[in-house]
Amino acid sequence: QALVVITMMLRRSVTSPAAQVASRTSQPQTALQLPLPPAASVCSSTAGVTSGPQGHTKQQKQHAHRSLTIVASVPSRGLAPYYSREPGPWPTDSEIQLLGHDPIAAPLVDLVVAGAGPAGVAVAERVAAAGFRVCVVDPNPLGKWPNNYGVWVDEFQAMGLEDCLQVVWPKAKVWLTSGSDGEKFLKRPFGRVDRPALKRKLLNKCVNNGVTFLSGAVDSVSHANGQSAVKLTDGRVISGSLVLDATGHARKLVQFDQ
């Protein structure tokens, strides 16, 4: 669920609305060429708000305004066998040579990203690909991602990440209400992310696009004179024109009104 929201936010934050429309209309909608599994069983509530891509039916748009959580598998009812594979090994420093960052030699970058999770490294590589200087700060940039992620397959296809799926179901089962008439099927393939494969692919893009990495934990941020200075727990400081807090639930830099 989290990655569904993240991927949609990434497309909106890095590309303009016009570019989003152009990319959707210029790319043909092709089916994923993979064996498909039984339908994923999904529980729906109105606690969260998400929105799907253009081109949905009215009913699908209504479904998109509810948060979805995978809870179980259900029989495929005659559909093709599901696609499933074992995840590969997590990337290591012997496989991927991340570019280190020296905050003394290069104290200022265009974007400082706090956190090397899926959202952080995805934004980092896309911004760097546009020609900006990007530094990712994380205690362990090659660490394992502990959370599982579920995504709509067509959204991962649009981002060129369809090779980072571990399991794919041909449709999703949702409950819109607790009544007997609340059970519905969404004829939209749903997948579980292959986390090691996704991390490997995004980190390789970061390396190819010149993203640098600073090992350490962020402590605080201050803003002055058009810049933001991120202080690490060991006292080092890295400044940027912009700062992205991608530390997830920890929310190390974002402050909320009490």
Side-chain angles (χ1 to χ4, degrees), residues 32-213:
L32 183 67
Q33 299 301 309
L34 296 172
L36 296 176
S41 178
V42 177
C43 179
S44 174
S45 73
T46 57
V49 177
T50 62
S51 59
Q54 295 179 355
H56 290 177
T57 65
K58 180 179 180 181
Q59 186 179 26
Q60 288 173 321
K61 288 181 179 179
Q62 292 173 345
H63 292 171
H65 286 284
R66 297 174 171 86
S67 60
L68 302 178
T69 305
I70 290 294
V71 294
S73 294
V74 297
S76 63
R77 300 184 181 181
L79 295 174
Y82 70 87
Y83 171 77
S84 178
R85 68 178 182 187
E86 291 296 322
W90 288 93
T92 63
D93 55 2
S94 61
E95 176 189 356
I96 301 178
Q97 303 295 322
L98 300 180
L99 304 176
H101 190 93
D102 183 353
I104 297 178
L108 177 65
V109 295
D110 296 309
L111 173 65
V112 177
V113 178
V121 293
V123 171
E125 67 90 2
R126 294 189 67 178
V127 174
F132 296 95
R133 298 166 298 168
V134 181
C135 176
V136 176
V137 182
D138 191 274
N140 184 12
L142 285 169
K144 296 179 180 179
W145 292 340
N147 299 326
N148 279 311
Y149 303 104
V151 297
W152 297 117
V153 171
D154 60 310
E155 292 187 349
F156 246 38
Q157 282 182 288
M159 299 177 69
L161 299 174
E162 63 270 20
D163 56 343
C164 298
L165 293 171
Q166 181 184 348
V167 183
V168 173
W169 292 270
K171 58 182 179 179
K173 182 178 180 180
V174 304
W175 284 270
L176 303 181
T177 68
S178 59
S180 59
D181 60 344
E183 177 183 314
K184 304 293 181 182
F185 278 90
L186 302 182
K187 295 182 179 179
R188 187 181 183 190
F190 193 83
R192 181 197 301 161
V193 174
D194 184 336
R195 294 168 294 158
L198 178 62
K199 181 155 193 173
R200 178 176 290 102
K201 186 165 188 173
L202 293 178
L203 286 181
N204 278 323
K205 287 186 175 183
C206 284
V207 173
N208 294 336
N209 291 325
V211 175
T212 57
F213 289 81

